[in-house]
Amino acid sequence: ETLRKLGIKAFSMYDVDRLGVGKIMEQTLDHLKGHKEIHLSFDIDAIDPFFAPHTGTAVTGGLTFREGNYICEALFDSGKLSSMELVEVDPAQHAGVEHTRTIDCALTLIGS
């Protein structure tokens, strides 16, 4: 309710499952059409820990690596992406699990 009052468009994982990330990005970009520039703040824990386990809040059932990558690509392709931050990458979390998976995922998202 608060997000709606503030004019913030938000989607749940249920929405991602139901609509697909492509349709969600169409709706998102349509919602942002009046903006000249977009800043993307991407929290790595939105990605399922299978792809990015090294974060403070790793929760199963998040976005796939490809869905996260698509979000970044769609925003870049809009021509409006002016800046990006990627947060919550923490290689010190989850000892014994290879940390390069999370780092590679993060670098790919930034590069896309």
Side-chain angles (χ1 to χ4, degrees), residues 94-105:
H94 311 291
V97 177
E98 180 56 45
H99 62 272
T100 56
R101 244 188 329 175
T102 304
I103 295 168
D104 290 345
C105 178

Side-chain angles (χ1 to χ4, degrees), residues 63-78:
L63 297 169
T64 66
F65 167 73
R66 186 63 203 122
E67 289 167 334
N69 201 3
Y70 185 91
I71 291 167
C72 295
E73 290 171 338
L75 290 171
F76 176 79
D77 288 346
S78 75

Side-chain angles (χ1 to χ4, degrees), residues 15-112:
D15 297 323
V16 173
D17 291 340
R18 187 171 56 88
L19 300 171
V21 74
K23 185 67 172 174
I24 284 175
M25 289 312 299
E26 286 177 22
Q27 291 181 18
T28 299
L29 291 170
D30 185 57
H31 180 74
L32 297 171
K33 67 182 172 210
H35 296 267
K36 290 183 181 180
E37 295 181 338
I38 298 170
H39 169 77
L40 172 60
S41 181
F42 199 116
D43 193 327
I44 195 77
D45 64 16
I47 303 291
D48 190 278
F50 177 81
F51 304 99
H54 292 85
T55 183
T57 313
V59 179
T60 302
L63 297 169
T64 66
F65 167 73
R66 186 63 203 122
E67 289 167 334
N69 201 3
Y70 185 91
I71 291 167
C72 295
E73 290 171 338
L75 290 171
F76 176 79
D77 288 346
S78 75
K80 296 181 177 189
L81 186 63
S82 62
S83 58
M84 176 184 181
E85 63 181 323
L86 196 137
V87 299
E88 297 294 326
V89 175
D90 188 357
Q93 293 288 331
H94 311 291
V97 177
E98 180 56 45
H99 62 272
T100 56
R101 244 188 329 175
T102 304
I103 295 168
D104 290 345
C105 178
L107 291 173
T108 301
L109 292 173
I110 293 168
S112 61

